[in-house]
Amino acid sequence: MAEPIIESIEEFGLIKNKKKSTNLFSRVGIVGCGNDGQYIARVCSSYGLDVIFRETTHERVYESLRRIEEIMNSRIRNWGATESEKKAVMSRIKGTTLLSDLKDCDLVIETVPTSGKGRSFEARKAIFEELEQIVDPTTVIATNSTTVVISDLSENLKNKDRCISIHFMINSVDSRVVEITKGLYTSDWTYDKVEQFVKMLKRKVIPVEESVGLISVRLFSVILNEACEMVMEGIGCKDDIEQLMLTGYGMRYGPFTIADIIGIDRVVRWMENLFNEFGDSRFKPNPMIKRLIRQHRYGVAVGKGFYEYDANGDKIDRNHLAESK
Amino acid sequence: MKILVLNCGSSSIKFQFFNMETQTVLAKGLVEKVGLNGSQLKLNKQNGEQVIFQGEIVDHKSGIEYVLGVLTSQKHGCIASLNEISAVGHRVVHGGELFSSSVLITQEVVSQMEKCIDLAPLHNPPNLKGIEAITELIPEVPQVGVFDTAFHQSMPDFAYMYGIPYALYKKYGIRRYGFHGTSHRYVSQRACEMLNIDFEAQKIITCHLGNGSSIAAIQNGKSVDTSMGFTPIEGLLMGTRAGDLDIGAVLYIMEKENIGVESASALFNKHSGLLGITNISSDLRDVLNAAQNGNQQAVLSLKMFNYRIRKYIGSYAAAMNGCDLLIFTGGIGENSKSTRLEVCNDLKWLGFEIDEGKNARLNGTESVISTANSKVKILIVPTDEELMIARDTQKITQEKR
């Protein structure tokens, strides 16, 4: 068969010279590709968007790609995806060490891991400012952080109205919900566009007023602290509290398992930020959680936290092991 | 009379443009990746040329606008102005219980179609977007909706009901609807035309075998049963779909594998069928090759595939108390001689006698492939859903004049 003829479609519309639509994101940039970044990259890519992420070193770029692939493999093992879907997803994700490679993106999400008190805020702010120099004036710049508010992050930018906070919940494949927060300067245009983007990813939008910890982090911190408190007081044991939340309240995971999935170190940073913001002792990390940190039991990622996990991230059932012995 | 047929998917628009006087296709093509990066419109012209139009296509409306623009363009078009389009026919996936035949689209019909969205949340909304786009772009042109489920609405209640609480039927419309209706209707009518017999006095079994497969029992011109049910998973073993499966097994798997609804849906829709059994491919041709090379799972999957078809044919012969015509269509039904042979070979007792020579020789063509003595006539009829949609559209818009 003869080669197909290639044409540019713009010449063929009924309505000539129409304005180019600005409804869609087609290329998403991600700055920092840890757990959250990997999750966002994978989700965006599975809905057909091109993704480019920035990591600090080539090793980390490689590692992030490897872990995204690993998650896709695990999705295949759990019947959630097919081999060809994995290929398509991986083909749309690129990594780089240069922020300037994100210049063609129409949405950039910052997902830099929080590291130590106060440091992350300055780092994030610097990234926002650097991004503004690189990307188009209409590119939406967002943060996935829950513990800093978008108004503070964007205050030094020329076009602050394109900044917004988008928080993906990453603790389970079924947590198809995203918190979106408008800052003081965020325009309706930006909000609408991001809302449409989230809906396109088949996730529910939860609009949240600007406040540290949003809904998800603030509420979870208190639940986890209270659960630890009850263990310490001897009111109930860990497994029973988990079971009660699972069966009694229909939760998919109990508070200790969720904390392990999110990462204990991260939960502690959330709590510290909340405590700094609100000054309320209910946000202060419980000693049980601090003890886990000292023992480097950071959760699923390192194979142990409140519980222990095998290489696939599946919980090792100690009771079951004891019985079978 | 020139008719445009549209089939809008979630991110694609298939189109065919017919000249009904000559029953020929003037142009056809596909808009891909609507609303996504890398969207494009592929056009196959009557002269065999293929043109790819690249650029941003943000939604269905803009996709259809480009389709109309391309059809009327000097460079690649086939009509001088939009006035030459007499009507537009839309393929609509789910018509629920509200539509038992093709209909002229009015505002009332659109609001009824909106009520069917829950039944096909992935498919019906883009179909509606296509209708909306045409209404905006060429409001004078009449439109017709042709439903994938409509033909099977003649099924009797005892065939379409499930043995679950009746309240669920009332509440959510849980019942068997069946799919591929336009194809089953087209091939059964076409076969009667070929043989010059009365469509409304036959007992016909139609096997639409492709990546998705279904069988229908058609008695006196009406579908009385079909193998797909509430969703297209039920019935035959398919490329990646499980087909009939014990609900107890589903529940057990979900519990053991600790998976939710989404993963379970992927498991039974995407990981099962030929692909699931063979772990090689969902494409029958690959599976046939593997079986020839001695792969035992491939051999098994083919046996399962054929056996289930045979079982359905047997049960539909019983349901109709006989069978006059057996029709094969769809990618596999039209082109896999071994499938047809295996299915029919063990049905002699019921009066199905396939002519091995004809079956091999006439592969892929519109033809009769049973022996002269066969009680039941066995046929290959290549399906043409778009033509059927165009014909319905022509008929309905002419009646209205």
Side-chain angles (χ1 to χ4, degrees):
Chain A
M1 215 174 99
E3 284 286 303
I5 304 161
I6 307 288
E7 296 271 8
S8 161
I9 201 161
E10 275 89 33
E11 317 294 315
F12 291 87
L14 290 179
I15 308 154
K16 302 286 178 205
N17 303 325
K18 63 181 163 194
K19 246 174 71 186
K20 263 190 126 179
S21 157
T22 47
N23 286 334
L24 299 163
F25 294 127
S26 57
R27 193 172 164 84
V28 177
I30 294 171
V31 184
C33 204
N35 281 345
D36 286 40
Q38 289 158 21
Y39 176 90
I40 298 169
R42 184 169 57 79
V43 170
C44 290
S45 172
S46 40
Y47 285 92
L49 300 169
D50 284 331
V51 176
I52 177 156
F53 68 83
R54 199 286 306 255
E55 257 301 345
T56 44
T57 62
H58 289 291
E59 289 71 33
R60 294 185 74 141
V61 167
Y62 174 80
E63 178 61 13
S64 300
L65 283 170
R66 193 191 62 77
R67 290 195 44 193
I68 295 171
E69 192 167 355
E70 204 170 84
I71 294 167
M72 285 309 293
N73 286 335
S74 124
R75 300 262 301 136
I76 293 171
R77 274 197 306 278
N78 296 313
W79 314 110
T82 62
E83 275 294 338
S84 55
E85 283 167 348
K86 176 180 125 184
K87 261 186 217 149
V89 165
M90 295 312 297
S91 73
R92 285 191 283 263
I93 303 177
K94 303 271 176 300
T96 177
T97 54
L98 302 171
L99 206 58
S100 54
D101 285 344
L102 274 59
K103 67 176 187 311
D104 294 331
C105 295
D106 28 33
L107 166 68
V108 179
I109 307 174
E110 168 278 309
T111 65
V112 174
T114 318
S115 53
K117 267 182 206 167
R119 263 176 55 206
S120 81
F121 176 70
E122 293 309 324
R124 286 173 210 270
K125 210 167 164 182
I127 288 168
F128 264 58
E129 282 158 30
E130 203 179 328
L131 277 171
E132 180 158 59
Q133 307 299 319
I134 293 166
V135 298
D136 207 68
T138 55
T139 296
V140 173
I141 306 178
T143 180
N144 183 56
S145 165
T146 52
T147 46
V148 290
V149 295
I150 188 70
S151 302
D152 292 346
L153 273 183
S154 60
E155 64 183 353
N156 290 345
L157 264 57
K158 263 193 230 96
N159 300 323
K160 307 184 211 335
D161 57 344
R162 43 118 146 229
C163 296
I164 193 164
S165 151
I166 313 175
H167 178 232
F168 284 83
M169 306 278 292
I170 66 159
N171 43 311
S172 132
V173 282
D174 289 333
S175 49
R176 297 178 152 258
V177 57
V178 174
E179 291 169 295
I180 306 184
T181 305
K182 259 171 131 173
L184 286 174
Y185 319 106
T186 312
S187 66
D188 289 345
W189 178 86
T190 304
Y191 183 86
D192 292 347
K193 216 171 143 160
V194 166
E195 187 181 35
Q196 203 181 359
F197 161 72
V198 171
K199 284 182 180 162
M200 203 272 280
L201 302 177
K202 298 270 179 338
R203 269 134 178 94
K204 211 174 165 63
V205 172
I206 306 288
V208 185
E209 284 298 313
E210 194 166 51
S211 170
V212 168
L214 307 175
I215 297 174
S216 56
V217 166
R218 183 163 153 189
L219 190 56
F220 176 70
S221 300
V222 178
I223 293 175
L224 181 66
N225 259 344
E226 206 58 38
C228 292
E229 190 62 35
M230 284 190 283
V231 174
M232 300 231 317
E233 288 174 20
I235 292 174
C237 72
K238 218 165 54 182
D239 287 352
D240 287 346
I241 292 172
E242 284 271 307
Q243 195 59 53
L244 190 122
M245 295 305 273
L246 247 60
T247 318
Y249 288 115
M251 286 171 68
R252 177 129 184 195
Y253 302 111
F256 302 113
T257 309
I258 296 177
D260 278 351
I261 293 171
I262 293 168
I264 306 294
D265 44 342
R266 188 165 183 210
V267 172
V268 167
R269 286 194 299 269
W270 283 351
M271 289 177 166
E272 283 167 351
N273 275 313
L274 284 164
F275 180 66
N276 289 340
E277 178 76 15
F278 297 106
D280 192 328
S281 64
R282 65 192 162 147
F283 295 119
K284 222 172 160 177
N286 183 282
M288 218 176 129
I289 304 173
K290 290 267 189 158
R291 193 158 66 222
L292 290 177
I293 294 286
R294 277 195 296 275
Q295 294 167 343
H296 303 288
R297 297 177 72 107
Y298 298 133
V300 180
V302 297
K304 54 190 181 183
F306 283 105
Y307 294 102
E308 292 184 13
Y309 302 86
D310 64 20
N312 288 330
D314 295 324
K315 203 183 272 184
I316 301 169
D317 188 345
R318 287 284 158 209
N319 294 332
H320 175 74
L321 289 179
E323 273 167 30
S324 60
K325 262 176 200 167
Chain B
M1 188 173 198
K2 296 192 178 89
I3 288 174
L4 176 65
V5 173
L6 291 178
N7 180 355
C8 297
S10 59
S11 63
S12 70
I13 304 166
K14 285 187 200 143
F15 64 93
Q16 274 197 34
F17 190 50
F18 288 91
N19 180 344
M20 296 311 285
E21 274 81 46
T22 52
Q23 301 261 315
T24 49
V25 178
L26 298 171
K28 67 175 180 179
L30 170 68
V31 184
E32 290 174 311
K33 296 195 170 184
V34 176
L36 296 172
N37 205 19
S39 50
Q40 58 180 19
L41 188 160
K42 280 187 194 161
L43 172 76
N44 292 308
K45 292 162 73 173
Q46 217 178 359
N47 64 9
E49 261 176 22
Q50 190 181 50
V51 193
I52 299 177
F53 302 87
Q54 293 172 333
E56 190 179 47
I57 302 169
V58 290
D59 54 18
H60 286 76
K61 187 184 155 196
S62 130
I64 289 171
E65 186 207 315
Y66 283 125
V67 170
L68 298 176
V70 164
L71 291 177
T72 50
S73 73
Q74 268 196 334
K75 199 166 172 191
H76 296 294
C78 49
I79 46 175
S81 94
L82 291 174
N83 298 334
E84 287 185 51
I85 301 176
S86 318
V88 178
H90 296 269
R91 174 184 183 239
V92 184
V93 169
H94 218 305
E97 290 191 317
L98 294 168
F99 299 101
S100 56
S101 62
S102 305
V103 289
L104 187 77
I105 290 168
T106 60
Q107 197 44 53
E108 196 196 336
V109 167
V110 168
S111 43
Q112 282 179 317
M113 281 168 66
E114 281 165 356
K115 289 185 187 145
C116 300
I117 286 182
D118 269 355
L119 292 169
L122 294 180
H123 295 107
N124 276 18
N127 297 158
L128 278 161
K129 278 185 199 155
I131 292 170
E132 201 181 298
I134 292 288
T135 312
E136 269 183 53
L137 295 165
I138 35 176
E140 306 303 316
V141 176
Q143 302 181 64
V144 169
V146 180
F147 303 89
D148 229 20
T149 51
F151 185 52
H152 302 302
Q153 277 297 301
S154 49
M155 279 194 281
D157 51 5
F158 55 79
Y160 70 65
M161 287 300 290
Y162 288 116
I164 54 173
Y166 196 77
L168 292 170
Y169 166 61
K170 294 307 257 183
K171 207 167 160 188
Y172 305 115
I174 311 284
R175 49 158 284 179
R176 310 183 59 252
Y177 291 97
F179 299 88
H180 296 141
T182 313
S183 173
H184 288 294
R185 184 158 61 101
Y186 172 80
V187 297
S188 53
Q189 286 179 358
R190 178 69 199 137
C192 293
E193 263 172 44
M194 285 162 64
L195 300 169
N196 200 16
I197 52 176
D198 183 7
F199 177 54
E200 290 182 0
Q202 310 298 323
K203 293 169 178 170
I204 307 173
I205 297 174
T206 47
C207 307
H208 178 109
L209 310 176
N211 200 21
S213 300
S214 70
I215 301 195
I218 300 160
Q219 190 166 10
N220 303 333
K222 291 194 162 73
S223 168
V224 292
D225 205 349
T226 186
S227 59
M228 281 181 172
F230 180 67
T231 72
I233 304 188
E234 197 182 336
L236 302 172
L237 191 77
M238 302 177 217
T240 58
R241 293 191 199 121
D244 293 334
L245 175 65
D246 180 4
I247 298 158
V250 175
L251 301 176
Y252 189 80
I253 293 166
M254 286 178 74
E255 198 190 338
K256 283 286 173 193
E257 295 275 296
N258 191 22
I259 53 174
V261 178
E262 202 193 329
S263 294
S265 168
L267 167 54
F268 301 117
N269 274 305
K270 294 182 185 167
H271 292 274
S272 298
L274 292 174
L275 176 69
I277 304 285
T278 60
N279 212 6
I280 295 170
S281 170
S282 61
D283 190 318
L284 187 86
R285 287 164 294 193
D286 298 337
V287 177
L288 281 166
N289 277 337
Q292 266 166 6
N293 294 329
N295 182 304
Q296 285 312 300
Q297 273 159 274
V299 173
L300 169 67
S301 73
L302 291 173
K303 283 184 182 164
M304 291 169 66
F305 183 78
N306 297 334
Y307 175 69
R308 222 180 265 185
I309 297 169
R310 211 157 60 224
K311 231 164 61 162
Y312 267 99
I313 293 174
S315 64
Y316 287 166
M320 295 190 288
N321 189 22
C323 177
D324 303 310
L325 305 181
L326 172 66
I327 301 166
F328 288 96
T329 190
I332 297 172
E334 292 162 28
N335 301 309
S336 170
K337 51 191 179 202
S338 65
T339 302
R340 293 190 301 264
L341 189 65
E342 297 287 317
V343 167
C344 297
N345 248 349
D346 285 335
L347 284 171
K348 286 203 181 90
W349 185 80
L350 281 173
F352 297 80
E353 278 184 50
I354 191 165
D355 182 321
E356 273 190 56
K358 283 186 189 165
N359 179 50
R361 209 168 51 244
L362 301 169
N363 197 25
T365 61
E366 202 176 76
S367 50
V368 179
I369 52 167
S370 46
T371 63
N373 293 330
S374 177
K375 246 168 62 188
V376 180
K377 288 217 158 41
I378 306 171
L379 296 94
I380 303 171
V381 182
T383 192
D384 195 339
E385 292 169 81
E386 285 76 16
L387 180 60
M388 195 78 211
I389 294 171
R391 283 182 186 166
D392 276 12
T393 306
Q394 180 181 30
K395 190 163 155 262
I396 287 170
T397 49
Q398 279 174 346
E399 276 167 7
K400 288 283 160 185
R401 279 192 186 151

